[in-house]
Each structure stands twice: as structure tokens, then as C-alpha cells.
Amino acid sequence: QKSSFLKEGGGVAENGIIIRRATEADLLEMAEIGIENFSGHGGRIETAQSWIETWQKASPMYHVFVAVRGERIIGYIDWRYEGGFGRQHPVAELDQVGLRRGEPKGQGLGKQLIRESLDTMRRWTKENLHQATLLRIVVWFYANNTGAHGAYAEFFPEPAGFRIQYSEAEMMRRGIISILDPESPIDPV
């Protein structure tokens, strides 16, 4: 049985790129991108597929989106709700953004994935978590990942934390968005 988010399709085209919810058919291409971007898969496609499939099975805790140009997936993003669905101010963590190698850098693909998926997250929260009035957003990323700094700074202007994880320095950015007002920007915390 498929998770409910896998039944949704659609997306918004921008510069020939469509952002839509991931489906089971996207698994292999997402795993390829995962291997290109994250060392935790050990370079093994089956490990990456298993990891991503776990997200899909954990819906609605996880929400996974892909960026598609033509018939090819060129990136993905996944969000994870933290701390339960009964909160007035639920927390969504941006877990991973993976972009296919060979795609032109500086074209705003990462920002487009964040912007469009976050808009869908806001709508999903409003429709399904009726007590929610705000959505707290958190993202952790490696301190030496300059691409992430640029992409995340547009959405989360101020760094909000620091930790050492997997023997690497990580920074946190966070913000709050209104669920009730779909036009509201992300506010720093």
C-alpha cells in the first residue's frame, strides 16, 4: 500500500523544471543522486535505495519531493516532521537536498526545491494539523558546505546553532512561518 503523499502529483514548472512529490518510480534516480551527494550510502545503490524507500514508507512523517527536467530527475529534497503531530507549532526539519552532478551550478535549483516544497509543506500542515498556527523550520548542514550556506541564507537569514556530528562541524539555521497566512515570509527565530 502506497503512502498518501505518493498518490499526489503535480508541481510547478519554472525554467523547464517541475517540482513534484516523489513516487516509488523515482527511487532509483533518487538513489543515484544520493550516492553522488552523501557518503553515508557507502557508494552502494541498494543502500541508498533502501534509505530513501524508508522515507517514503514513513509518510506523513517524511515528505519527499523531486525536481524533474524532461523525463530526468535532477534533484530531490526531503522534510521530516519532528516531535509529533499534536503541536500548535510543529517542527519540520529539512533533512536532505541532493542535486545531480553535472547540472549547472548557480541556477537556483536548490532554492527552487526549498521554496516549492516548503509551500507544499505549509499547505499540508494547514490541511492536516488543524491546531497548527506556525510551522517551525530547522536545517542542519556542514559548516564547510558553501553551496548550502548560500541556498539556506535566503530562507533562514541568521545561523542559530552549531554542533559536531559524524566528526564534522555542522551549522543550524531555523525560522518560523505562518500556517494561517500563506503569503507570510519565514521569520528568523
Side-chain angles (χ1 to χ4, degrees):
Q1 178 180 355
K2 291 184 180 181
S3 301
S4 61
F5 84 86
L6 294 174
K7 296 176 185 172
E8 297 177 22
V12 179
E14 182 178 301
N15 301 326
I17 298 171
I18 295 172
I19 308 299
R20 62 167 172 78
R21 291 203 181 257
T23 69
E24 289 178 21
D26 301 328
L27 193 58
L28 178 59
E29 286 187 86
M30 290 173 66
E32 292 167 352
I33 294 168
I35 287 174
E36 293 174 355
N37 287 271
F38 305 104
S39 61
H41 302 305
R44 293 184 303 275
I45 195 78
E46 57 279 346
T47 302
Q49 280 183 292
S50 178
W51 186 253
I52 294 167
E53 188 175 31
T54 299
W55 299 336
Q56 292 179 333
K57 289 180 179 177
S59 174
M61 185 175 157
Y62 278 87
H63 293 254
V64 188
F65 302 84
V66 292
V68 181
R69 179 184 292 127
E71 298 294 317
R72 187 172 191 209
I73 294 174
I74 58 173
Y76 70 83
I77 186 170
D78 80 278
W79 294 88
R80 178 179 64 230
Y81 278 95
E82 299 283 345
F85 295 128
R87 296 173 176 235
Q88 184 177 6
H89 304 137
V91 178
E93 180 176 350
L94 192 166
D95 191 45
Q96 283 188 354
V97 176
L99 306 178
R100 189 175 291 279
R101 285 198 185 141
E103 284 298 313
K105 300 230 184 255
Q107 303 295 310
L109 177 57
K111 290 178 183 179
Q112 183 181 353
L113 269 165
I114 295 168
R115 183 175 50 256
E116 294 183 23
S117 65
L118 187 54
D119 185 55
T120 301
M121 293 290 292
R122 180 192 323 233
R123 285 193 316 272
W124 186 91
T125 302
K126 182 178 181 180
E127 292 167 7
N128 295 281
L129 306 181
H130 303 289
Q131 75 286 353
T133 57
L134 298 172
L135 178 60
R136 295 181 185 278
I137 307 296
V138 175
V139 61
W140 286 95
F141 58 97
Y142 290 123
N144 63 358
N145 185 340
T146 56
H149 278 281
Y152 299 147
E154 179 178 316
F155 300 94
F156 316 104
E158 296 296 323
F162 185 82
R163 71 181 178 192
I164 302 295
Q165 182 161 321
Y166 311 120
S167 70
E168 297 281 339
E170 289 189 333
M171 293 186 69
M172 178 180 67
R173 290 184 181 265
R174 62 185 180 179
I176 298 174
I177 59 173
S178 171
I179 297 302
L180 305 177
D181 177 7
E183 300 302 315
S184 70
I186 297 173
D187 293 323
V189 178

